[in-house]
Amino acid sequence: MKQYLDLCQRIVDEGVWVNNERTGKRCLTVINADLTYDVSKGEFPLVTTRKSFWKSAIAEMIGYIRGYDNAADFRALGTKTWDMNSNDNQAWLNNPYRKGDDDCGFIYGAVARNFPKPDGGSVDLLRNIVDDLKRGVDNRGEILTFYHPGAFHMGCLRPCMYSHHFSLLGDTLYLNSTQRSCDVPLGLNFNMVQVYFLLAIMAQITGKKAGVAYHKIVNAHIYEDQLELMRDVQLKREPFEPPKLIINPDIKSLEDLETWVTLDDFEVVDYQYHEAIKYPFSV
Ligand SMILES: Nc1nc(=O)c2c([nH]1)NC[C@@H]1CN(c3ccc(C(=O)N[C@@H](CCC(=O)O)C(=O)O)cc3)CN21
Ligand SMILES: O=c1ccn([C@H]2C[C@H](O)[C@@H](COP(=O)(O)O)O2)c(=O)[nH]1
């Protein structure tokens, strides 16, 4: 939590205004931030200086794991986060690849579970990583990537947290996640939860101990219409002690995550938080 608040304060104090063409808004921006979550110690990075809808964040990551490409599927799992990007962005609405209402196109997990090979066919990156880790193999390239520049024109948004690199030291699993672009008031609130969750659940389904997750952010920004709420409301609040994330121990495989798992399999205990803040969302 301190790491999050320090980053927010750094943007307020040192950020540079940058015009963003896609959204037509200005963003107060810094370059490079490194956040660390010790999953072995249960350091769940949930924001306490406003109510965080952590279930939405976990639902989004499960949707990526399942390879979803449709906002209706994300909604059925428990998150509305893809509604606006799939249905409210004019450039995407005009895109001939859009298959209809709620279609997100070729994004995130849809790419990673079906990564096209230049010589034909595709690779299921996640399946391969899970199979390797289960056998105790780390080939120094256990990289779950959502980033395919040759397919950007076929999706509603380029992936922001685009790479998750897993490593084994003995039977302890580590994760390095990289994010190219970060909406600190809204997106990061979810992305921190997702990095922690991804390491915890991958350790659980591969039979390894969870170690540390390292979260690298390149462009960290606050949109102009979010700044006042961040500077004058959220940053004036005192954080509470962090809560704990409890995951159903019956989740034992990638197939479990793909089939029967719901948000009822996750619980957050001892979550004390300040009241919700509604930050504007830029499509
Ligand atoms: N501008 C922008 N920022 C983002 O963070 C973002 C995107 N676009 N596009 C793709 C996804 C969608 N994400 C989202 C979308 C909506 C919320 C949001 O509205 N959060 C509210 C309410 C959440 C809820 O009720 O479940 C929040 O207060 O956190 C957060 C992240 C993260 N990503
Ligand atoms: O997981 C996510 C997804 C998206 N974001 C934010 C970061 C940016 O504000 C926008 C994406 O815009 P680009 O023009 O494609 O950079 O969404 C996030 O923080 N986390």
Side-chain angles (χ1 to χ4, degrees), residues 22 50-51 53 56 60 81-82 85 157 183 186-190 223 277-279 281-283:
R22 193 180 65 76
R50 74 178 179 99
K51 183 178 184 185
F53 299 89
S56 250
E60 223 183 42
T81 46
W82 282 93
N85 288 109
L157 196 74
D183 175 343
L186 274 178
L188 185 52
N189 176 48
F190 281 6
Y223 285 91
I277 298 176
K278 275 224 151 308
Y279 281 106
F281 179 84
S282 298
V283 186

Side-chain angles (χ1 to χ4, degrees), residues 168-221:
L168 278 176
L169 286 182
D171 60 359
T172 302
L173 186 65
Y174 292 79
L175 173 60
N176 287 71
S177 298
T178 310
Q179 181 162 2
R180 64 170 178 83
S181 171
C182 181
D183 175 343
V184 171
L186 274 178
L188 185 52
N189 176 48
F190 281 6
N191 295 136
M192 294 191 297
V193 168
Q194 289 168 340
V195 170
Y196 178 101
F197 166 72
L198 187 60
L199 178 54
I201 199 71
M202 285 290 280
Q204 184 165 317
I205 67 172
T206 58
K208 303 297 164 200
K209 289 186 198 134
V212 180
Y214 302 96
H215 183 178
K216 156 85 72 191
I217 297 163
V218 178
N219 182 305
H221 49 264

Side-chain angles (χ1 to χ4, degrees), residues 46-276:
L46 194 62
V47 165
T48 60
T49 47
R50 74 178 179 99
K51 183 178 184 185
S52 174
F53 299 89
W54 60 272
K55 283 201 171 193
S56 250
I58 290 184
E60 223 183 42
M61 187 51 85
I62 295 174
Y64 301 156
I65 288 172
R66 291 182 177 175
Y68 283 176
D69 67 355
N70 192 287
D73 290 333
F74 281 100
R75 276 200 303 279
L77 204 51
T79 182
K80 296 185 183 142
T81 46
W82 282 93
D83 288 7
M84 301 233 259
N85 288 109
S86 60
N87 295 320
D88 289 346
N89 176 293
Q90 202 52 49
W92 177 239
L93 295 177
N94 296 339
N95 187 313
Y97 283 101
R98 185 171 179 270
K99 295 190 289 286
D101 281 358
D102 287 325
D103 183 35
C104 301
F106 201 43
I107 58 152
Y108 284 83
V111 174
R113 302 297 313 261
N114 241 308
F115 204 94
K117 295 199 295 187
D119 56 354
S122 63
V123 197
D124 182 344
L125 302 178
L126 184 60
R127 180 79 261 170
N128 290 347
I129 294 168
V130 169
D131 290 347
D132 277 355
L133 297 179
K134 266 200 322 213
R135 296 187 292 128
V137 169
D138 166 7
N139 67 17
R140 304 192 290 200
E142 305 293 352
I143 301 174
L144 178 67
T145 182
F146 302 139
Y147 210 71
H148 190 328
F152 287 163
H153 64 292
M154 298 168 70
C156 65
L157 196 74
R158 295 169 300 165
C160 291
M161 208 154 68
Y162 65 89
S163 170
H164 302 282
H165 184 166
F166 296 91
S167 304
L168 278 176
L169 286 182
D171 60 359
T172 302
L173 186 65
Y174 292 79
L175 173 60
N176 287 71
S177 298
T178 310
Q179 181 162 2
R180 64 170 178 83
S181 171
C182 181
D183 175 343
V184 171
L186 274 178
L188 185 52
N189 176 48
F190 281 6
N191 295 136
M192 294 191 297
V193 168
Q194 289 168 340
V195 170
Y196 178 101
F197 166 72
L198 187 60
L199 178 54
I201 199 71
M202 285 290 280
Q204 184 165 317
I205 67 172
T206 58
K208 303 297 164 200
K209 289 186 198 134
V212 180
Y214 302 96
H215 183 178
K216 156 85 72 191
I217 297 163
V218 178
N219 182 305
H221 49 264
I222 297 176
Y223 285 91
E224 56 186 323
D225 51 5
Q226 300 171 325
L227 180 59
E228 219 175 277
L229 280 172
M230 176 56 80
R231 190 190 49 214
D232 303 339
V233 182
Q234 191 167 1
L235 278 171
K236 295 278 189 279
R237 297 174 174 177
E238 275 303 314
F240 294 106
E241 283 301 305
K244 291 278 178 241
L245 174 69
I246 315 280
I247 300 178
N248 181 351
D250 292 339
I251 305 173
K252 291 195 163 72
S253 66
L254 183 54
E255 291 73 22
D256 291 342
L257 282 168
E258 286 168 344
T259 53
W260 57 263
V261 168
T262 70
L263 293 184
D264 295 339
D265 295 298
F266 308 95
E267 196 189 342
V268 164
V269 293
D270 298 331
Y271 185 30
Q272 267 187 286
Y273 51 82
H274 290 267
E275 72 180 81

